[in-house]
Amino acid sequence: MARVVIGPDIQVLGAAVNNIIEGLGAFRLLASHILNDVGIGSLDESGNFHLDKQAWYSFGAYLRAYSRMERELGPTIIYSAGLTIPRNAIFPKGIDSLETGLRSIDVAYHMNHGRHGEALFDAATGQMKNGIGHYHARRATDRRFELICENPYPCDLDRGIVEAMARRFEPSAMVFHDTKSLCRKLGGESCTFHVEW
């Protein structure tokens, strides 16, 4: 797999940005200042952060904000933010099992990212556009899935997303980071997670 190269025209939906802010809990204020610094949202004179949930923002700027949040807040906080995404983000309809939940992560990822103000997944036609990488889910055994996360987000965020989605349908699900493949933290092109229950 080739490293995902994000074009300058790729965007992230304001609602997706807001989900991360909400997921950071006590660190929301710092996150809002970081986002403001990269040109996402704005702070008013009282220091309150404002974000249009329907607007599209620069994905490149958002990734710079994530990189800074990861450095300043640490991987545990980024993982915790990932845990909140399946609860709050826009997901496709018809998710009713662990399998459909895990397979829907890629579709939801494309629903919350766009180009020129249009989502990269059209729910009406089922058409998905490329440009941001993917979440590849495949069943390995009856009680094990493998997810290859080939995108520019932090590894710990993806671990939180995968774990939250798996436990939504199977509370006993365990998520393991594949240590045999080269992780993005170590310069790899993707991260692989195993979900077992």
Side-chain angles (χ1 to χ4, degrees):
M1 286 181 224
R3 179 169 291 281
V4 177
V5 177
I6 302 298
D9 57 344
I10 299 295
Q11 300 166 307
V12 61
L13 187 60
V17 175
N18 189 66
N19 290 332
I20 293 301
I21 294 169
E22 294 301 317
L24 290 171
F27 298 96
R28 277 186 277 190
L29 182 60
L30 178 57
S32 64
H33 281 275
I34 291 171
L35 289 165
N36 181 68
D37 288 349
V38 299
I40 295 177
S42 62
L43 293 170
D44 65 20
E45 293 170 2
S46 301
N48 297 313
F49 185 67
H50 300 280
L51 181 76
D52 182 348
K53 293 180 187 179
Q54 302 305 314
W56 292 95
Y57 295 94
S58 164
F59 191 38
Y62 191 49
L63 290 175
R64 287 191 302 279
Y66 251 112
S67 179
R68 185 171 156 197
M69 283 186 254
E70 190 173 30
R71 277 193 320 272
E72 294 182 21
L73 302 175
T76 302
I77 300 302
I78 299 299
Y79 160 75
S80 296
L83 288 171
T84 67
I85 290 178
R87 188 172 56 233
N88 300 316
I90 298 169
F91 270 82
K93 296 180 181 183
I95 300 172
D96 58 3
S97 68
L98 186 138
E99 182 168 356
T100 58
L102 293 176
R103 292 188 187 281
S104 74
I105 293 172
D106 190 50
V107 173
Y109 177 50
H110 285 78
M111 291 173 80
N112 287 278
H113 294 79
R115 184 181 285 120
H116 307 297
E118 290 186 23
L120 294 174
F121 180 80
D122 184 335
T125 65
Q127 182 181 11
M128 182 180 291
K129 297 176 185 171
N130 291 317
I132 57 172
H134 291 278
Y135 289 83
H136 304 282
R138 75 169 189 87
R139 183 179 284 278
T141 68
D142 284 348
R143 299 181 62 83
R144 187 166 150 255
F145 262 87
E146 177 182 89
L147 271 92
I148 299 172
C149 302
E150 178 193 28
N151 64 68
Y153 279 112
C155 168
D156 295 294
L157 180 80
D158 282 341
R159 183 171 56 97
I161 293 168
V162 170
E163 187 173 307
M165 184 56 81
R167 289 191 176 165
R168 179 174 170 182
F169 297 101
E170 189 59 57
S172 66
M174 300 294 292
V175 175
F176 303 96
H177 196 283
D178 187 337
T179 56
K180 294 177 185 160
S181 61
L182 187 59
C183 171
R184 287 173 292 184
K185 283 184 182 181
L186 303 173
E189 296 172 352
S190 63
C191 287
T192 301
F193 296 96
H194 299 282
V195 179
E196 300 177 1
W197 67 97

